[in-house]
Amino acid sequence: LNWWASYALTSTQETHRSDLGDVGFQNRQFPRDFDQTHSLSFDLIYRPVSNWFLGLAWQFRSGWPYTPLERVTTPTENGPPNYSLTYGDFYSKTYPLYHRMDVKVTHWAEYDSWRLVFGLGLSNIYGRFNTRRYSYFLDEDRVGRIVEGWLPALPFFNVSAEF
């Protein structure tokens, strides 16, 4: 039985150049695209016999930053106002927490100087919906948001030859 765990407390920042780009960004510091304050992983491997193993892996991380879209109302002289979408504060929000658990069974057979390996597994075994990104749309006078997710529970199979 083998196991290991890791935890990281991080912050990734990027300072925009003072001579390029939008004036509102110059000399300012923002989080990077995949900034995640907390990340935690735990792996467990059980080997009942020498050529079989069962693996379990759990991942957890903070949500990545994103820039929200907001509705802008522009009055008109006659009739209803015009509505449009504009970006909110750059990377001012974060997506929800991400976590999933994967399981895998692996078996191999040895032949002279090479090995044939078979694996069967399931990623995201508890079927958690993890938010990948948001898409926005304007529906008359309200902002709609579509939540796009990472992959659901997904079986996988692999075969490899090692020489």
Side-chain angles (χ1 to χ4, degrees):
L1 184 67
N2 295 317
W3 68 273
W4 63 90
S6 67
Y7 170 76
L9 174 64
T10 62
S11 176
T12 56
Q13 301 286 316
E14 179 174 24
T15 303
H16 290 252
R17 288 179 49 169
S18 61
D19 59 340
L20 290 177
D22 187 293
V23 175
F25 286 82
Q26 292 175 352
N27 283 331
R28 292 192 56 204
Q29 198 173 60
F30 297 98
R32 297 289 307 235
D33 292 349
F34 303 109
D35 181 49
Q36 55 195 36
T37 306
H38 304 281
S39 61
L40 175 67
S41 66
F42 179 77
D43 290 56
L44 181 68
I45 295 177
Y46 174 63
R47 219 179 228 187
V49 292
S50 64
N51 62 344
W52 282 89
F53 79 73
L54 302 140
L56 186 70
W58 182 71
Q59 299 175 33
F60 166 91
R61 67 169 168 76
S62 302
W64 293 338
Y66 74 94
T67 304
L69 284 175
E70 300 166 350
R71 185 186 74 181
V72 174
T73 305
T74 307
T76 59
E77 285 190 32
N78 300 323
N82 289 326
Y83 299 104
S84 61
L85 291 175
T86 188
Y87 288 105
D89 291 334
F90 186 69
Y91 284 172
S92 61
K93 304 270 185 178
T94 57
Y95 292 114
L97 300 174
Y98 174 98
H99 60 89
R100 75 171 211 237
M101 186 178 290
D102 304 337
V103 65
K104 183 177 183 181
V105 176
T106 303
H107 173 68
W108 58 91
E110 307 226 358
Y111 304 98
D112 295 326
S113 62
W114 66 284
R115 176 190 298 189
L116 189 59
V117 182
F118 300 92
L120 179 64
L122 182 64
S123 66
N124 194 12
I125 63 173
Y126 49 83
R128 175 174 162 79
F129 183 87
N130 286 299
T131 301
R132 182 169 175 254
R133 71 177 183 172
Y134 299 132
S135 296
Y136 295 88
F137 61 92
L138 193 58
D139 184 16
E140 294 187 20
D141 64 344
R142 75 174 185 89
V143 175
R145 184 171 78 179
I146 298 170
V147 181
E148 299 176 32
W150 291 97
L151 292 173
L154 186 67
F156 61 89
F157 175 75
N158 68 287
V159 177
S160 64
E162 299 173 1
F163 297 89

